[in-house]
Amino acid sequence: MVQWSDSERSIITSIFSSLDYEDIGPKALCRCLIVYPWTQRYFGAYGNLYNPAAIKSNPLIAAHGVKVLHGLDRAVKNMDDIKATYAELSVLHSEKLHVDPDNFRLLADCLTIVIAAKMGSAFTCDVQAALQKFVAVVKCLWEEFNGTLLPEVLSVSTVALYYSHVNKCMNKKLKKKCAYFRFY
Amino acid sequence: MSLSAKDKATVKDFWAKVSGKADTLGADALFRMLTVYPQTKTYFAHWKDLSATSPQVKKHGKTVMGGVSDAVATIDDLTGGLVSLSELHAFTLRVDPSNFKLLSHCIMVVFAGNFPGEFTPEVHLCMDKFMQALARALSEKYR
């Protein structure tokens, strides 16, 4: 079980209570889709993501960004049992959405940067360290639910089977757009 | 993920805006890395003081940003321009290249905190690509 110091709890609660989720959520998600364009693979049904301007003005992306922040809010309110809090969401992201767990790190890095821009000098090293620990715990728990599917612990043949399964699950339109799957 | 002409122009443009504060940004980024990713302290075990006010941290932050500045100046040939730094990191310092992205992330964080208006997602993209290319050039001599 993760141990949180009083200071870390206070910092995390304070950060999230000061955020406007309607503002920060969309900004973090848009930044992730712009800076790491391969993450767009999960948003094939979200309309126009052709360029940064389109991404920033896309209402579906904005709405999803808000949803992501509310999802993190659940962990903030249940810091002593994040694993149980995220059980259902973890399964959704791994079994249905097939999100590469490393992409959570990319989104977390973008969220950190957006929060740093918002907080300015108040985003001290201790604040960043607490936030980093929080997002690392969230990421580890996602990976635990994805644990049996991590390529580095599987044989080559099992990895091939996994990606073949993912390949079949994605719709044809997304498959055409996604160069990632051209290897499989 | 190579740098286009537009990426290079964006990097140079943004660097011109931030270079005046490079020393303090470097010190801040380095201290953040040591705090947020404590495993990086292993490379600085010979320093007595790893606090934010440590003269060694401040000096080294300035050195690091000096290296980034050199990289911006030789952006058209990062491998050639950073060959001596690559040799230093490979043969003398022996820093695991996985740590380069940790420092790079902390540099992005200080950019965002100090230049929130200028560090747009488009600029972030170009700077992230640049720092990755810089890290690659720094790893060139490793093996």
Side-chain angles (χ1 to χ4, degrees):
Chain A
M1 193 175 117
V2 182
Q3 301 289 336
W4 301 99
S5 68
D6 291 342
S7 160
E8 285 166 343
R9 271 178 212 278
S10 162
I11 287 171
I12 295 300
T13 313
S14 167
I15 290 174
F16 279 83
S17 63
S18 74
L19 296 181
D20 175 4
Y21 291 2
E22 307 285 316
D23 175 47
I24 297 296
K27 277 183 177 161
L29 184 57
C30 286
R31 193 170 279 257
C32 185
L33 295 173
I34 292 166
V35 179
Y36 307 110
W38 53 92
T39 56
Q40 291 171 27
R41 67 193 293 276
Y42 304 109
F43 298 90
Y46 280 63
N48 186 4
L49 302 178
Y50 190 65
N51 55 36
I55 292 170
K56 287 180 202 175
S57 58
N58 186 314
L60 295 176
I61 293 295
H64 196 71
V66 176
K67 198 187 254 191
V68 166
L69 259 284
H70 281 289
L72 285 172
D73 185 73
R74 287 163 61 179
V76 174
K77 293 187 163 61
N78 294 283
M79 284 176 74
D80 290 317
D81 199 7
I82 297 177
K83 187 172 176 176
T85 304
Y86 276 157
E88 205 183 305
L89 271 176
S90 286
V91 172
L92 169 72
H93 280 74
S94 80
E95 298 301 314
K96 191 173 173 202
L97 304 176
H98 306 292
V99 178
D100 181 339
D102 196 54
N103 288 179
F104 297 125
R105 175 184 64 83
L106 303 181
L107 179 57
D109 283 353
C110 288
L111 177 63
T112 302
I113 285 180
V114 168
I115 292 174
K118 170 89 177 25
M119 292 178 69
S121 57
F123 194 66
T124 62
C125 300
D126 291 341
V127 171
Q128 185 182 347
L131 181 62
Q132 183 62 36
K133 180 175 171 178
F134 177 73
V135 298
V137 166
V138 169
K139 179 181 177 273
C140 281
L141 291 171
W142 286 122
E143 282 185 331
E144 197 175 318
F145 279 99
N146 283 276
T148 53
L149 301 171
L150 280 175
E152 51 264 38
V153 303
L154 298 176
S155 67
V156 170
S157 56
T158 319
V159 170
L161 266 175
Y162 163 60
Y163 283 121
S164 159
H165 165 70
V166 173
N167 212 9
K168 283 178 197 159
C169 291
M170 302 291 279
N171 64 52
K172 282 183 189 167
K173 198 170 160 187
L174 185 59
K175 208 160 114 178
K176 270 182 204 163
K177 279 187 194 175
C178 191
Y180 177 85
F181 285 98
R182 283 181 198 149
F183 291 109
Y184 301 97
Chain B
M1 289 195 263
S2 55
L3 295 163
S4 67
K6 191 164 170 251
D7 291 335
K8 291 176 187 177
T10 305
V11 168
K12 286 180 179 173
D13 189 52
F14 182 71
W15 188 253
K17 289 176 188 164
V18 311
S19 56
K21 288 178 79 174
D23 295 354
T24 42
L25 293 178
D28 188 9
L30 185 64
F31 180 63
R32 275 178 195 273
M33 183 190 73
L34 294 169
T35 309
V36 178
Y37 305 105
Q39 67 271 28
T40 57
K41 285 182 185 173
T42 56
Y43 294 100
F44 302 97
H46 55 289
W47 287 356
K48 291 193 186 76
D49 181 7
L50 288 173
S51 67
T53 52
S54 158
Q56 285 165 316
V57 170
K58 285 183 181 171
K59 185 177 169 219
H60 198 65
K62 183 179 169 185
T63 303
V64 166
M65 289 310 236
V68 175
S69 181
D70 290 344
V72 174
T74 57
I75 199 168
D76 291 317
D77 179 20
L78 280 172
T79 308
L82 296 176
V83 74
S84 56
L85 270 177
S86 181
E87 283 170 354
L88 174 71
H89 283 76
F91 305 130
T92 309
L93 303 176
R94 297 207 178 134
V95 176
D96 192 310
S98 62
N99 293 290
F100 297 149
K101 58 177 170 299
L102 303 182
L103 181 56
S104 172
H105 174 62
C106 291
I107 291 173
M108 299 295 122
V109 167
V110 300
F111 283 161
N114 287 271
F115 302 93
E118 290 89 338
F119 197 63
T120 61
E122 292 88 331
V123 169
H124 179 179
L125 166 63
C126 295
M127 290 307 296
D128 196 70
K129 281 177 76 173
F130 169 67
M131 292 303 293
Q132 273 199 21
L134 198 166
R136 230 175 10 251
L138 219 50
S139 316
E140 191 62 35
K141 292 290 181 185
Y142 271 67
R143 57 176 177 176

